[in-house]
Amino acid sequence: MANGNLRNMKFEDIAQKPNISKAMLKRISRYFIPYWKQTVLVLVILLLTSLLGLLPPILIQHIVDGALPSKDLRLLVTLVVASLGATVVAGLLGVLQTYLNSFISQNIVYDMKNQMYRHLQRMPLQFFSNVKQGEVITRMTSDISGIQGVFNSTVVNFANNSFILVSTFVTLLIMNWKLAILAIVIVPLFIVPTRKMGKIRWKLAKQTQEKMSDQNHIIQETLSLSGYMLMKLFTKEEKEFSSFRSINSESKRLQIRESMAGRWFMMLLTTFTSIGPMLIYLYGGYLYIQGDITVGGIISFVALLSRIYGPFGQMTNLYVDINRSIALFERIFEYFDMEPNIVDRPNAIPMNPAKPDIAFHEVGFAYQQDKQALRNITFTAKLGTMTALVGPSGAGKTTITNLIPRLYETDTGSIRIGGTDIRDMTLESLRSQIGLVTQDSYLFNGTIKDNLLYANSEATYEEMTEACKAAYIHDFIMEFPEGYDTVVGNRGIKLSGGEKQRISIARVLLKDPAIIIMDEATSSLDTVSEYYIQRAMDLLLRNKTSIVIAHRLSTIMAADNILVVQDGTIVEEGKHEQLLLNNGVYKDLHSKQFDRSRNDSERLLEA
Ligand code: ADP
């Protein structure tokens, strides 16, 4: 079935009743509007096929009552050919309808996927740090793809079955109204037990699934490495086995009941579908004896009857399918409803790259409501100077730097660049003037060249090699047989942290932004790497306003201003010598953290 995706949804997904509101339906139908012509065509085809489907049973009557008694071979052949023709034409229309169905569904999936991708691109960093791993992919792929079955299982299902029911019933009425009423009266006989059985099976299946999950839980808890140890050390084997056995037995019982329910269901179905025709033969036979109907009439009636029961059965499932479809749309809309909160203001102006001095004024920020990550941050990073952020891990240094390109938005206070609040600037101009070198610089799967040119696709080969020479990585790249065309990332060569950081520095040099934000690698690099990174940084930061999360003493000593961050706030500020004299947090940090690196840098100086 085309709506296999709907059927595969888990119980949890549809456990809570979705709200079928007018607004919701309106919102869903908006996706169908661009394809209204195709939808109308599908409806016309469904109407035609439902009418064509009436022909063969009606023609049977003429065969039995006309062609056979009068031994008219020509009429017989004509009627059979006509009946066959109707079936073939209906079949061909069915093919066209399937094409239109998938055209409409796939186009809706296509539109939604594009809309979702665009929407997610605009979501703030916060969203991606909060969302469960794999969740974005699930929404993008299986949830949206599930939509492709919706059109078929709802609109087509409903229209098709209504057309068939109405056209068949009208035909039955015209043929013989007494029999027609009998045929309808016995419908509940068939519908009620099937529905009831369906509900029982659904409930049993749900219970079985719950038991299975309990069982898995016990297995996981007691037969995993640490669980096993716990069970052994507290000698709980007997207790655990007894709970396992009881759940196991419960799930066995349920599964037997479930298969029996299935069998009862089949039995009821066959009984009731044969009760209908039998009653028609009985009452029809009586009418025949009375002279009210012909033999052909009875046969044709029974043949038409099968066109009533099938659609009735399917219509009763429609409600479930609609609920499942709405649940899918709800999950998708839930994402669409999350507004990206970091966007351009209506009158946003471009940033002026000529005045990139940065001023924080009483900035406060919290990732979660009750936990303040930054409090009262006030400092100025003057034009063309280097500001170093130092402090223990978790103090808030990265958070401070992430606020500048507005990866996160300040809660209180303001950040100004060149005197203008960054919230009044266009995001694009702001971010294009900021170069970020992170600790674990991200290189995507692709060639080194692709990674470098991501910063500036118009850079020439000379500019690219210049940047790499300045970042002390050119010679290293040229050692590979394929040079700049060497593939990096998990499908290519692996680079060390220091090499990646130097490529990342070259990338920022190519971008040539007014502001540089750098997070020095904490992991100890080998001395040679350190030396080259130091030289590359000197060039990168020259004449730029820069903010560096510093982990090395040499960087700190070169800084024009040092901010000591602790518990989300600035506790000391000044130059290295000054801060040492203060005898405060910095002095402490210095003696704990930098003794080793001082030794290293002294070694380097000697080298
Ligand atoms: P630092 O860079 O000084 O090591 P951070 O700025 O990374 O410190 O972190 C400051 C505080 O904010 C820490 O308590 C950290 O746990 C918290 N934090 C950092 N990132 C997030 C996040 N995405 N969501 C929630 N809390 C975060």
Side-chain angles (χ1 to χ4, degrees), residues 125-126 129-130 367-368 371-374 391-400 402 408 519 549 565 568:
L125 191 59
Q126 180 100 33
S129 63
N130 288 346
Y367 288 101
Q368 285 120 2
K371 207 171 150 258
Q372 204 67 18
L374 294 180
S393 137
K397 304 180 295 293
T398 313
T399 311
I400 293 179
N402 282 343
Y408 295 94
D519 189 355
I549 300 178
V565 187

Side-chain angles (χ1 to χ4, degrees), residues 469-506:
K469 281 178 190 157
Y472 291 91
I473 191 73
H474 175 73
D475 292 342
F476 170 79
I477 294 171
M478 292 313 279
E479 276 170 25
F480 292 112
E482 288 168 60
Y484 282 86
D485 291 321
T486 308
V487 175
V488 292
N490 48 22
R491 272 187 253 135
I493 52 155
K494 299 269 173 296
L495 297 174
S496 76
E499 287 148 5
K500 274 209 276 192
Q501 200 161 47
R502 276 184 282 157
I503 290 186
S504 169
I505 288 176

